Structures are given as C-alpha cells and as structure tokens.
Amino acid sequence: KVLMSLDRVTKTYIMGEVKVEALKETSLKITEGELLVILGPSGSGKSTLLNILGGMDLASSGQVSFNGSNLSQAGDSGLTQYRRKDVGFVFQFYNLIPDLTARENVELAANLVENPLPVEEVMREVGLEDRMDHFPSQMSGGEQQRVAIARAAVKNPRLLLCDEPTGALDYRTGKLILELLARINRERGSTIIIITHNTPIGAMARRVIKMGSGSIVEITENQSPVSPE
Ligand code: ADP
Ligand code: ADP
C-alpha cells in the first residue's frame, strides 16, 4: 500500500536575484511500513525533500499526497493537523525543551493527539524508564535522542521522519539509536525515513535513495538489510 507519493515535485528557493532549485521534478512512492534511507552529500536536497514530506514546506510545483489526499490543497490548518497527528520528527540536535523533564517533553507531544501511546510505555521502549524526571542538560546525547524518539513515537504517527538522527553522536551510540528506530519500524509498523550522509547506514534499509544536486540519482534495493558495521 502506498502511503505517500510525490509526483514531479520541484522546490525553488528565491533569494533576491538568485534562484536555487533544491528539488527538481522528483517522483517517489513510499510504501506503508517501509524503512527508507536517503543518502547524499550536503546540499543535494535531502532536507528539502524531508521538509516537503513532513508538511513543513510546500512544493513549488508537482503533487504531494499522503494517504490519498493532496497536501498542497490541505491549507494551513490542514497542514498543521497533518504535522501534529500523522508525522513524528527526529532532528540531529534533539530539539528538546530544556526546562521540561524527559517525561514532560514526551507528555507535551502526547497531548497533541487524540490517541497517544501511554507515555510510560514509550519511555520504557526507548530504555529511559530510569531517566523520566531528568532534564535534557542532565542527559547524554544518546539519551536526549532517545527522548526525542519517544516524543515522536508517542503520537503513534503513520510517518516518522529523521534528519541526521545520529549526526551528533559517536558511532556506538548512533548504532543503538538506529537499532531503536529499526525496532519501532518492525514492532509498531511505522513508516520511517532516515536522512544521513553516512553511507554504511544504508545497509539497514530495504531501499536506499541517493540524492545528488536536487534529484534522485540512484535507488538501491537491499534483499537482506543488516546492522551497519
Ligand atoms: P541537504 O539536506 O542535502 O544538505 P538541502 O535540502 O538543505 O540539502 O539544500 C538543497 C539546496 O537548497 C542547497 O543548495 C541549499 O543551499 C538550498 N536551500 C535549502 N534551504 C534553503 C532556504 N530556506 N533558502 C534558500 N536556499 C535553501
Ligand atoms: P534483532 O534485534 O531482533 O536480533 P536483527 O539484528 O536480526 O534484529 O535485525 C532485524 C532487522 O532490524 C534487520 O533486517 C535490519 O533492518 C534492522 N536492524 C538490525 N540492527 C540494526 C542496526 N544496528 N541498525 C539498523 N538497523 C538494524
């Protein structure tokens, strides 16, 4: 089943006299339940693609549809609803609220949706049952990223978008974070898209998309995804 489809999507940024085509006539179908990795050098359009998928930005032309409905016609309130309810975001630098505890950061997200998962259950799932009442400044990078994943996952979103989730972490911690995302994908059935410029991470996904200069330059299908070593 197709969860999302992009049909000849272009995104142009205009800065004064300068126009940048960050994404050029890009088409892509995302299957419900898949774990997709997007690779590519800096400036190749990965974040632009993720922002369009997550309803944070609108395409300049082309069609973006989620679950059969057209995001370009959703309007501001429709897009806000979409970002709140259907999408969870995980960022490179966690973006936690510093004066809320881990539990409170996750509760805040849970309160945005009608049927959140139980906060404590999700905290256990990410292995933070002992850190619930810590503030972000009292936690390691890996722990903060696990709070951020819990915050995204507690909404039980159809789509989980991760922009360089291991970019600020050491190798071993990053690997644990990827294992956690892979487990959420397997056990919750969430569709997960991970942006990275770290090629070995591609080994964990069944499908890897490589971006270059605003286009998809290569799609690789992995018969047997493995842990990246
Ligand atoms: P990546 O995530 O692969 O590093 P981006 O999607 O961030 O690539 O950027 C693609 C291109 O679009 C780059 O040339 C970048 O400078 C440009 N770009 C991205 N966001 C903006 C913006 N808000 N305004 C102007 N140009 C932008
Ligand atoms: P388990 O943790 O249940 O033993 P496996 O190691 O057999 O799971 O891997 C099952 C799937 O989980 C793999 O096909 C892969 O997609 C994903 N996976 C496992 N380990 C990692 C990892 N370190 N990073 C990313 N994905 C992983």
Side-chain angles (χ1 to χ4, degrees):
K1 179 172 178 283
V2 174
L3 180 66
M4 262 199 115
S5 73
L6 270 67
D7 189 22
R8 283 167 293 140
V9 169
T10 293
K11 177 69 188 180
T12 311
Y13 291 109
I14 299 169
M15 297 166 291
E17 309 272 286
V18 185
K19 269 193 189 178
V20 178
E21 278 207 331
L23 207 58
K24 301 171 191 164
E25 299 261 325
T26 296
S27 299
L28 175 65
K29 284 193 187 338
I30 294 155
T31 306
E32 178 117 61
E34 89 167 305
L35 191 163
L36 176 70
V37 166
I38 301 176
L39 293 174
S42 187
S44 59
K46 303 185 298 298
S47 299
T48 301
L49 175 59
L50 206 75
N51 289 342
I52 287 176
L53 291 171
M56 305 214 272
D57 219 342
L58 284 177
S60 309
S61 66
Q63 273 218 16
V64 181
S65 70
F66 177 86
N67 206 25
S69 62
N70 189 339
L71 284 190
S72 354
Q73 285 166 8
D76 281 349
S77 73
L79 272 187
T80 304
Q81 275 297 101
Y82 169 67
R83 284 193 301 263
R84 244 184 227 168
K85 187 166 87 44
D86 296 308
V87 190
F89 297 96
V90 175
F91 305 96
Q92 177 171 4
F93 296 108
Y94 332 125
N95 294 22
L96 300 174
I97 298 178
D99 50 8
L100 298 182
T101 63
R103 181 208 304 266
E104 290 165 346
N105 266 280
V106 176
E107 279 169 353
L108 196 66
N111 290 336
L112 291 175
V113 297
E114 264 168 44
N115 296 302
L117 301 172
V119 170
E120 304 213 345
E121 179 184 322
V122 175
M123 297 301 276
R124 252 194 324 273
E125 229 174 285
V126 302
L128 286 181
E129 59 274 31
D130 299 338
R131 293 283 186 278
M132 302 263 270
D133 299 311
H134 286 53
F135 289 93
S137 60
Q138 299 171 312
M139 290 185 280
S140 68
E143 286 170 343
Q144 291 182 62
Q145 194 60 298
R146 282 189 275 156
V147 178
I149 291 171
R151 176 183 58 186
V154 77
K155 300 193 293 178
N156 205 9
R158 303 278 289 275
L159 184 62
L160 197 55
L161 300 178
C162 312
D163 196 346
E164 295 281 1
T166 66
L169 302 173
D170 63 58
Y171 177 78
R172 203 181 63 86
T173 309
K175 189 163 145 59
L176 294 172
I177 291 296
L178 293 173
E179 275 165 4
L180 174 59
L181 291 170
R183 181 150 53 82
I184 290 171
N185 169 255
R186 273 197 315 269
E187 292 176 4
R188 295 259 178 227
S190 323
T191 306
I192 302 190
I193 303 181
I194 302 174
I195 284 191
T196 180
H197 53 239
N198 181 354
T199 308
I201 291 177
M204 73 187 274
R206 199 161 286 285
R207 196 156 69 116
V208 179
I209 286 180
K210 203 165 154 199
M211 302 283 300
S213 314
S215 301
I216 295 174
V217 293
E218 194 182 312
I219 298 184
T220 314
E221 307 267 348
N222 271 335
Q223 288 316 312
S224 42
V226 293
S227 321
E229 278 312 327

